[in-house]
Amino acid sequence: MITGCTATPYPLSAGYMTLRLPAGTRVRYAGDAVGIRTWAVQPCTCPKCMSAIVHGAPASHYELHPLDGDATPIIHVLHTAAIPLPRPNEIYDYRVWATPKATAAHLRHELRRAFPGVPFKVRRGRGVKRRQLTVRWRGGPDATEVGAVAAPLLADYTNPDRRLPRMITVTRGGIPHFETPTADAIHLNRR
Ligand SMILES: [Zn+2]
């Protein structure tokens, strides 16, 4: 999940637009109090989103619908906050998972490369939140722009046949290893 502190999703970067999933895609979402469960995405139809679309802005939020009909839908969830579930063909793939520490280091490096001169801090959570990362920065890009860089560590949003995130290069002892990033959520906190 990625949560942003900005109320406005503009300007939308091209990278952010690629995060949109087809309606009906199964996702998990760590942002509700119920805990992590499976939802199906639909475009958001709340008054705010409908008004934005009428004024020509691209859709930027989902509604999350429960699969069993027991829970009420969650509305107005940022596209970057819903993580698509792995495809069946990916479940038994052999993968080496990067540690949350290596994943955080990779994200820090990518952000500094994308936004030179902006001081980013990437912290890991503790205990049950140890697989959650928090990005803090001041000024520079907005949460949407940072989210477009961070979200590929949660999932591959660009290929319908693949949902697990693309592998990253982790260097240990001077030797590069290709590993899958590990993150349950990436929280964005612009001060
Ligand atoms: Zn909405």
Side-chain angles (χ1 to χ4, degrees):
M1 174 187 60
I2 294 188
T3 49
C5 61
T6 53
T8 166
Y10 312 111
L12 287 163
S13 70
Y16 182 75
M17 297 304 294
T18 68
L19 302 176
R20 285 199 270 174
L21 300 166
T25 302
R26 306 282 167 90
V27 298
R28 64 192 168 90
Y29 171 61
D32 63 310
V34 193
I36 296 176
R37 59 192 297 169
T38 303
W39 305 86
V41 297
Q42 296 290 339
C44 187
T45 55
C46 81
K48 196 173 164 186
C49 285
M50 295 312 280
S51 157
I53 289 165
V54 164
H55 289 92
S60 59
H61 289 71
Y62 293 129
E63 288 175 5
L64 302 184
H65 289 259
L67 297 181
D68 54 9
D70 271 359
T72 40
I74 303 178
I75 63 160
H76 204 64
V77 172
L78 264 178
H79 283 162
T80 45
I83 304 174
L85 298 185
R87 305 286 299 183
N89 59 305
E90 294 179 304
I91 292 171
Y92 300 108
D93 273 7
Y94 175 74
R95 282 181 178 251
V96 177
W97 295 88
T99 61
K101 184 181 179 183
T103 305
H106 180 86
L107 177 56
R108 197 178 295 121
H109 177 81
E110 290 293 302
L111 289 171
R112 287 175 183 168
R113 197 172 65 159
F115 308 104
V118 179
F120 286 99
K121 285 182 179 149
V122 182
R123 295 260 160 79
R124 285 169 290 142
R126 295 180 190 281
V128 293
K129 294 188 175 179
R130 69 189 181 283
R131 287 154 61 103
Q132 299 189 15
L133 306 179
T134 299
V135 183
R136 290 196 171 80
W137 75 101
R138 197 183 291 277
D142 65 21
T144 298
E145 292 168 307
V146 172
V149 174
L153 296 181
L154 296 171
D156 188 338
Y157 295 87
T158 61
N159 184 345
D161 294 326
R162 199 174 55 203
R163 289 307 186 196
L164 289 177
R166 286 164 197 243
M167 283 188 267
I168 60 175
T169 305
V170 177
T171 303
R172 284 193 306 269
I175 300 167
H177 299 262
F178 299 102
E179 300 181 350
T180 303
T182 301
D184 278 345
I186 302 176
H187 306 285
L188 304 180
N189 190 345
R190 185 190 195 218
R191 287 174 293 174

